[in-house]
Amino acid sequence: MTRAALLLVSAAAAAAVPRGASARMVEKIAAVVGENVVLASEVEEKAGPLMTDISRVTDPDKRAARAAALRREVLERLIDDELILQQATDLKLTVTSEQIDSSIEEIKKQNSIDDDQLREALKAQGMTMATYRADLKRQLLRYRVLNIAVGSRVNVSDEEVKAYYERHMKGSANVQVRASHIFIAIPDGADLATAGEKEAQAKKILERAKTEDFAKLAREVSDDAATRADGGDLGYFGKDMLPKPIEELVFAMKPGEVRGPVRADKGFHVIKLVDRKIKDAKPLDDVKDDIRMQLRQKDMERQTKIYLAELRKKTLVDIRY
């Protein structure tokens, strides 16, 4: 299976929020979200497959801290999913079996796999086809809610597309870099002393990163769940794709160089520049649709965060885990 397919399967597993727990069981509530709850068992179920890398951390205090941070990441994701699913109910949105079938067929087509190969991939993730279909339904509902609630807020003008092209893709401006990072998160509401401790931790990691295997170290200590499994790899990107403090640092670096820590996105980043290249510029008409899609996706991510914050303000969210 391709990496894209495996990521989709993993994302579906992580996003699932099973409901209808047996009334005969008394379970700990991890969070109350409106009129529904997220159970502690759900958090443990979704965090379980992600705990493998953490189990390799030898320091027990660091291992416990990483495990706690991972559980909180999973819980926050489950809360966001529940908020969005409640909006789907309010908007009277539904997903049919035929639409789920169509999505599965598209996944199989894109990854050149058949039914048996898909079942094997799901089995490796500890999932059944029935569970996967339920997860896909939730993903499709999420997509529809965000498309309605957030999509209308996103508008990329022709002027924005042209400005991006002039800045990043015309002539020598079309510089692309590939970088990896290790992220040390600062807890929400942390005081100056805690922030200082996290910065000191990031500085120690920087010294280690200069002599140790960067990818291995990222898998061991990074707090970024999205890139940790890939050794902190951020892929290739141009300017205006990352927070300014990180961008300014990265584009001033030489391939192979490790620098930091730089503070951005609620924490500190240790950065390694992997590669730098200048791509031949294509005419604007050839790339304007790709640029528009890229800018739209970036703004969708920003607007989704704002939307979820708005939902939390108007919905009871009581975290108990």
Side-chain angles (χ1 to χ4, degrees), residues 262-281:
V262 58
R263 184 168 181 173
D265 284 344
K266 300 182 180 181
F268 294 96
H269 300 256
V270 174
I271 309 287
K272 178 177 181 178
L273 186 63
V274 179
D275 189 23
R276 176 193 297 268
K277 62 184 180 182
I278 298 177
K279 297 176 64 177
D280 293 334

Side-chain angles (χ1 to χ4, degrees), residues 1 4-19 38 41-50 70 73-75 77-78 81 85 107 118 121-140 142:
M1 237 179 142
L6 290 174
L7 284 175
L8 179 55
V9 172
S10 297
V17 188
R19 291 282 171 255
V38 177
S41 60
E42 298 174 46
V43 177
E44 295 301 323
E45 179 186 352
K46 306 314 165 195
L50 307 174
L70 175 59
E73 288 174 12
V74 170
L75 176 57
R77 190 187 310 126
L78 292 173
D81 286 344
L85 291 174
I107 291 167
L118 177 58
L122 294 176
K123 185 178 180 181
Q125 295 285 336
M127 301 178 67
T128 64
M129 181 59 73
T131 303
Y132 186 51
R133 289 180 65 87
D135 294 346
L136 277 177
K137 181 177 181 178
R138 292 178 182 279
Q139 289 187 66
L140 291 171
R142 176 188 175 94

Side-chain angles (χ1 to χ4, degrees), residues 92-234:
K92 296 181 171 56
L93 299 177
T94 59
V95 173
T96 66
S97 295
E98 290 74 18
Q99 289 170 321
I100 298 172
D101 290 339
S102 178
S103 293
I104 291 176
E105 289 302 316
E106 183 62 25
I107 291 167
K108 288 159 52 182
K109 179 180 178 181
Q110 289 180 357
N111 295 280
S112 302
I113 59 174
D114 57 25
D115 289 335
D116 290 338
Q117 290 171 314
L118 177 58
R119 288 193 183 91
E120 285 300 313
L122 294 176
K123 185 178 180 181
Q125 295 285 336
M127 301 178 67
T128 64
M129 181 59 73
T131 303
Y132 186 51
R133 289 180 65 87
D135 294 346
L136 277 177
K137 181 177 181 178
R138 292 178 182 279
Q139 289 187 66
L140 291 171
L141 280 173
R142 176 188 175 94
Y143 173 80
R144 293 189 64 186
V145 169
L146 294 179
N147 194 45
I148 293 171
V150 179
S152 60
R153 304 181 183 186
V154 178
N155 181 36
V156 179
S157 67
D158 291 341
E159 289 74 20
E160 289 175 296
V161 172
K162 184 176 180 181
Y164 183 90
Y165 177 80
E166 294 286 339
R167 176 172 167 78
H168 301 299
M169 305 186 73
K170 188 175 181 180
S172 61
N174 191 17
V175 177
Q176 298 281 308
V177 297
R178 182 175 184 178
S180 296
H181 81 146
I182 296 172
F183 178 58
I184 302 302
I186 300 174
D188 290 339
D191 56 20
L192 290 176
T194 301
E197 291 173 0
K198 292 298 182 180
E199 183 175 16
Q201 180 184 348
K203 288 179 178 179
K204 290 180 180 179
I205 289 171
L206 170 64
E207 294 307 312
R208 292 181 60 187
K210 291 178 179 179
T211 58
E212 298 182 26
D213 182 279
F214 193 94
K216 182 179 179 181
L217 185 59
R219 285 190 286 268
E220 177 185 334
V221 303
S222 180
D223 290 328
D224 182 9
T227 64
R228 185 168 54 227
D230 294 323
D233 185 19
L234 297 169

Side-chain angles (χ1 to χ4, degrees), residues 13 27 33 63 112-113 155 157 227 241 245 248 254 319:
E27 295 197 61
V33 185
R63 185 168 62 247
S112 302
I113 59 174
N155 181 36
S157 67
T227 64
M241 290 294 107
E248 291 172 359
K254 299 177 181 178
I319 297 175

